[in-house]
Amino acid sequence: AEELSQAGFVLISTMPAVSEALGMLDAVEFPCLVSFVITAAGDLFDGTPLRDAIARIDDATPRAPLGYWINCVHPGALLKGLAAQGDSPALRRIVGVQGNTSPLDPREFSQVSEFADDSAAVFAGAMAQVHRRFSIPVVGGCCGTRREHLEELARALGATPAREPAARIRARR
């Protein structure tokens, strides 16, 4: 952790449970983002609703994360999971998402030997919806994304240039 402290911030990624995220946060004393994997119901794998996980971590840590991230989830599941959180202020703390291209539940996804993925158009359309509906400034790909997925996502977003993502992350705090 000390070696990583030279970075502007660190992404603590693919956290399935609040307890694991809190354990990682205990190990770092520098700015970070916490990234969760969620289900289509909007829960972490330990059953905690995303909004509650964010609130619990923000309340339990002396130095709250810069923001939150979601990764390794299909954008269709992201849409459902984020919508399931209602109008929670915790959603404003989410600064990035990385969708994978498999429509499988993330818990099933890691158990398969052959990766089945959605088309670039389906992936991009759903990721663009996540971006617009929830005002999440950073979007990208995770497992299964290839160049065509990201090119299609850029088209779906209107191929607008990046607008200072680091400044937007700080502004959401």
Side-chain angles (χ1 to χ4, degrees):
E2 286 181 35
E3 291 176 15
L4 294 174
S5 69
Q6 301 306 311
F9 62 87
V10 172
L11 176 64
I12 297 172
S13 189
T14 319
M15 296 287 104
V18 173
S19 60
E20 288 189 42
L22 286 169
M24 290 295 291
L25 288 166
D26 280 346
V28 297
E29 296 180 7
F30 44 85
C32 62
L33 297 169
V34 174
S35 184
F36 292 114
V37 181
I38 64 169
T39 67
D43 299 335
L44 279 57
F45 291 2
D46 67 0
T48 307
L50 177 63
R51 65 180 171 270
D52 296 348
I54 292 170
R56 186 170 157 200
I57 289 172
D58 281 349
D59 291 343
T61 54
R63 191 159 120 190
L66 295 172
Y68 293 87
W69 202 274
I70 302 169
N71 72 301
C72 208
V73 182
H74 187 273
L78 276 170
L79 283 166
K80 290 175 187 170
L82 291 173
Q85 301 306 298
D87 193 24
S88 173
L91 296 184
R92 290 191 294 274
R93 298 273 288 130
I94 300 169
V95 297
V97 294
Q98 289 174 274
N100 72 36
T101 62
S102 173
L104 291 175
D105 179 284
R107 294 167 293 198
E108 298 169 359
F109 169 72
S110 63
Q111 306 301 315
V112 297
S113 59
E114 193 166 311
F115 192 83
D117 62 348
D118 270 341
S119 71
V122 168
F123 170 84
M127 284 299 288
Q129 278 186 279
V130 168
H131 168 72
R132 290 183 181 111
R133 182 170 175 193
F134 298 100
S135 301
I136 297 174
V138 182
V139 295
C142 196
C143 303
T145 54
R146 297 179 301 280
R147 181 182 188 104
E148 58 265 22
H149 290 91
L150 298 178
E151 287 173 346
E152 191 68 33
L153 178 57
R155 280 191 286 281
L157 295 174
T160 56
R163 293 184 199 97
E164 301 290 329
R168 291 184 69 189
I169 289 170
R170 285 189 291 275
R172 291 176 70 94
R173 290 186 72 205

